[in-house]
Amino acid sequence: MNRQRTMLNQPNPSPPGKGGVVYVIDDDEAIRDSLALLLNAYGFRVSPHESAERFLQSLAASDQQSLGCALVDIHLGGMSGIELQDMLLNMGLNIPIAFITGHGEITTAVNALKKGAFDFIQKPVDEEKLYSLINEMLSKAYLSKEQSTELKEIKERFRLLTQREVDVLDRIIAGRINKEVGLDLGISIKTVEAHRANLMEKLKVNRAAKLLQLTLRYREAKAKGLI
């Protein structure tokens, strides 16, 4: 980090992560403190941790939905960086992770990428690459959180539907007209129209095309376990 003095004299940029936290997990105190100092100089909020276990404890004691990303040393005392990645995946926490690696650890880092790690960065850390990487990870975290919030809202809309409205919706999505829906369900066309109006109001759509798009998105997200 031989350009640190130069970077400290630059004005703090505004990270795109909307106030996100950069978790730095490294058992080397000197590296941990150096990274924290550098990232603070760039305008990022930093939460340093000496081990994966301490990091997980801090998550348990705080809001796990907080926006953030993590810089993780691939070799930690106790739980390794790779084991931490597995733990976060099992917990369903979608935190972008970049591993800090030394020489000879590329194969391990590539395997981590295959399991969903965002990237890896080699020691000694290049400041410009680090800054760019953190911005990308926080941007991804922000977009993921936006998507998660939107999907939760969509889920709540669908939970408002009655079973009969779901029956009508299934047939509308299948391309059946009101008369056919009525015959299928043994109800009048007027009743079908009433159910259709009600479900569209609950789902906050005003056109059939929007209804189709929203329903397909909801079902796809549900199939993937996102909601």
Side-chain angles (χ1 to χ4, degrees), residues 50-206:
E50 64 188 34
S51 68
E53 290 82 359
R54 290 289 180 88
F55 169 60
L56 291 171
Q57 289 172 8
S58 74
L59 284 185
S62 63
D63 179 10
Q64 293 184 353
Q65 298 304 313
S66 294
L67 182 70
C69 66
L71 281 176
V72 184
D73 186 16
I74 208 161
H75 287 299
L76 295 168
M79 182 186 297
S80 72
I82 300 299
E83 289 171 336
L84 173 60
Q85 180 188 24
D86 290 337
M87 178 70 74
L88 292 174
L89 289 173
N90 290 335
M91 293 169 64
L93 296 180
N94 187 25
I95 299 175
I97 295 176
F99 285 103
I100 303 171
T101 67
H103 295 296
E105 297 175 336
I106 300 300
T107 300
T108 304
V110 169
N111 289 334
L113 291 177
K114 292 178 180 178
K115 292 196 294 183
F118 190 87
D119 206 342
F120 65 90
I121 190 165
Q122 287 185 280
K123 301 174 185 177
V125 176
D126 182 282
E127 293 175 11
E128 292 180 4
K129 289 182 179 179
L130 177 64
Y131 172 71
S132 177
L133 178 63
I134 295 298
N135 272 333
E136 289 177 18
M137 288 200 294
L138 286 178
S139 293
K140 179 184 178 183
Y142 179 68
L143 291 174
S144 294
K145 189 169 185 179
E146 274 195 328
Q147 181 186 50
S148 177
T149 300
E150 187 177 6
L151 289 176
K152 285 180 181 178
E153 181 184 340
I154 291 173
K155 180 181 178 180
E156 290 305 311
R157 294 185 203 174
F158 277 89
R159 287 181 63 180
L160 296 174
L161 301 183
T162 66
Q163 184 55 53
R164 178 59 84 188
E165 287 166 350
V166 172
D167 293 337
V168 171
L169 176 60
D170 288 341
R171 285 157 177 80
I172 293 173
I173 298 304
R176 300 181 73 77
I177 61 174
N178 289 349
K179 181 178 180 180
E180 293 171 328
V181 174
L183 290 173
D184 286 346
L185 299 177
I187 56 179
S188 68
I189 293 179
K190 286 188 177 181
T191 301
V192 172
E193 291 172 346
H195 285 312
R196 182 170 184 150
N198 287 337
L199 70 88
M200 291 185 74
E201 181 179 358
K202 290 178 180 179
L203 296 179
K204 299 181 180 180
V205 294
N206 54 14

Side-chain angles (χ1 to χ4, degrees), residues 1 4 7-8 11-13 15 20-25 31-48 69-72 100 121 125-135 137-138:
M1 301 181 184
Q4 186 164 308
M7 301 313 302
L8 290 174
N12 291 346
V21 178
V22 182
Y23 301 102
V24 177
I25 302 102
I31 293 177
R32 188 171 65 248
D33 290 347
S34 180
L35 285 171
L37 179 64
L38 176 64
L39 292 172
N40 277 323
Y42 271 122
F44 296 109
R45 289 198 297 130
V46 184
S47 178
C69 66
L71 281 176
V72 184
I100 303 171
I121 190 165
V125 176
D126 182 282
E127 293 175 11
E128 292 180 4
K129 289 182 179 179
L130 177 64
Y131 172 71
S132 177
L133 178 63
I134 295 298
N135 272 333
M137 288 200 294
L138 286 178

